[in-house]
Amino acid sequence: MSPTFTTRPEIRGTFGVVSSTHWLASQVAMSVLERGGNAYDAAAAGGFMLQVVEPHLNGPGGEVPILFWSERDKRMQALCGQGGAPALATPAYFRAMGLDMVPGIGLLPATVPGAFGAWLTLLRDHGTWELADVLRPAIDYARNGFPLVPRIPQAIFAVQDLFRQEWTSSAAVWMPDGKVPHPDRLFRTPGIAATYTRVLEEASRAGDRRARIDAAHEAWYRGFVARAIDDYYRNTAIRDTTGERNKGLLRLDDLADWRAEYDTPVTTDIGRYTVAKCGPWSQGTVLLQQLAMARHLGLEGVAPDSTEFVHRIAEAAKLAFADRLAWYGDPKAVDVPMAGLLSDEYAKARAALITGQSSKVLDPGHPLGRVPRLPDLEAAARTLAKADTRFGVGEPTFAQLPPVQEWAAREIFVGDTCHIDVIDRDGNMVAATPSGGWLSSSPVIPELGFSLTTRLQMTWLDEDLPGTLRPGMRPNTTLSPGMALRDGEPYMAFGTPGGDQQDQWTAPFFLRHALHGMNLQEAIDAPSWHVDHFPGSFWPRSTTLNRITVEGRMPAATQEGLRKAGHEVKVGADWSEGRISACTREPEAGGGLQLRAGANPRGMQSYAVGR
């Protein structure tokens, strides 16, 4: 039998592996491993690199959830780099403005930018390198220039009028000569380089390595970075989707009081595997609920590109996302019924709702006997009716572009964040999904050279819902790194960009690998899909029901079968669904570990490396 074709090899080695959404981040992380750093040093260096080379998908002012396995501690943990809402941000504040939704762009939707604090916490507590060495590649590329992937100038093109007419500080950074940058030329972001350099200079005066990392954290959250954010958000009025110019709500005290926090991951079992996700402040439980239902859907003997396979997982996703809407929130503020949502009894009952026909309704369950309550889903239509959308809506999939042949050689897959996985020779594992601080959704703070996150748009203004906006509390982020044990031993780090699609794309990927024996690259390459059957997480949070988007490579018989089952089938481009990165480790009989990695070919920029 001839081997299965894959777009690239599954990487195999024993020293270390990295997979990320950009080849430069993967190579930077691998270079750290080569020079004696561990997985935490490498992941942090790669994460900072992603801020520079994928600025349309994340930045220094964004956030990052991290899952990691410590071989020293024999323990898996989550590290939450999702910042909370400003103290001034309340539903009453936005209601008084006549709004039904937190805007998607501008200054009003900012949360505390948690990425810097999370990376520093991981580096301080588990890494070995100096922060200056970890930041050096990102600073060098920001100062001296990095190659633009085609989607960056496309993103700038889509909001060029906004930059020229309103967000002039962004125009100064992203259109330095008044034009959209050419994708074939190197691009520089000296403001980011200067900010990180100043942080390091201030931190260098502290005592030992740990003290220097803490001093850098202080400079960011209590020092010159926090003061610049406070001044800009307090005193600058910026146009947003309200059609007005509004000042921001984020203040120095919000940043000074924030810390990245360790958390216990939530898990579910399927076959030999225990799959782990961040808690209900993220959407990660959506994957766990799908896998829990999959235990009762008889998928083992069903071809992974068949109508039955796609239909059953798609219907499980609909049920899981309905539960996300009704039940997920920051567990510091609300009582999320996790024991009920992840119980096998509940999963079996939810799976029993899946028939041969597609569901046309939004159907949250009753975990632990509780009665669900949903937000006002008509708020999106009211918001759009009076919104100013001339400049887009803020999400990186924000605007229709002109035909790509009019201005660039070719278009790549559109996503909304990035991802990195690392496993070192000792077996330490990191999975992280950085995002936020997109160049298109908030203006550059001139003194710092970067934008801040707009994650507050993922809250509701309805009173007393799990996802209601609450001062100091985390919005229910879409960011969702994954990790898995096999037979009780650490095995896989994985994840993907994609907003609401993240825990949809990883469900069939994981099942193709775990149930059907595909290797990592085969499981990544296989044709994928997503459903729209819930209000979107991004402004204006419009609701679509019963739509499934499949890659054009999906077998014609499967597409027709889905139509017969009642799905509204949308056929996308052949390579348009999924951007998964993954790494695994497994013990060898004679000692040591065999390491593997795979990377997404869609968009032609993700890369897996290792040896």
Side-chain angles (χ1 to χ4, degrees), residues 270 291 294 299 309 313 506-517:
I270 181 165
L291 296 180
L299 295 173
F309 188 83
I313 297 175
T506 52
F509 155 77
F510 191 83
L511 292 169
R512 288 189 289 252
H513 178 71
L515 298 186
H516 295 278

Side-chain angles (χ1 to χ4, degrees), residues 67 419-423 429-431 482-484 491-495 509 581-585:
L67 287 174
H419 186 83
I420 185 168
D421 302 307
V422 183
I423 305 178
M429 303 166 60
V430 180
M483 200 160 274
Y491 177 64
M492 180 188 290
F494 65 98
F509 155 77
S581 302
C583 297
T584 61
R585 50 163 280 189

Side-chain angles (χ1 to χ4, degrees), residues 256-277:
D257 292 340
W258 184 84
R259 293 288 185 276
E261 297 181 5
Y262 290 105
D263 197 6
T264 301
V266 292
T267 63
T268 199
D269 295 328
I270 181 165
R272 301 170 61 190
Y273 299 89
T274 299
V275 182
K277 284 284 184 175

Side-chain angles (χ1 to χ4, degrees), residues 88 99 146 207 229 250 289 308 473 563 581:
L88 296 174
L99 300 178
F146 59 93
I229 292 170
L250 195 61
Q289 287 194 247
E308 293 81 3
M473 296 298 105
R563 292 187 182 94
S581 302

Side-chain angles (χ1 to χ4, degrees), residues 192-203:
I192 292 174
T195 294
Y196 276 138
T197 299
R198 182 176 171 185
V199 167
L200 293 175
E201 288 172 349
E202 294 194 6

Side-chain angles (χ1 to χ4, degrees), residues 443-497:
V444 166
I445 300 170
E447 186 177 338
L448 303 177
F450 59 81
S451 307
L452 292 195
T453 175
T454 55
R455 193 65 55 173
L456 207 65
Q457 66 184 290
M458 295 183 176
T459 59
W460 297 97
L461 299 184
D462 308 61
E463 295 291 343
D464 299 324
L465 296 172
T468 296
L469 166 61
R470 294 174 174 87
M473 296 298 105
R474 297 165 289 190
N476 181 241
T477 180
T478 53
L479 305 175
S480 187
M483 200 160 274
L485 309 180
R486 188 170 71 178
D487 300 328
E489 296 297 322
Y491 177 64
M492 180 188 290
F494 65 98
T496 178

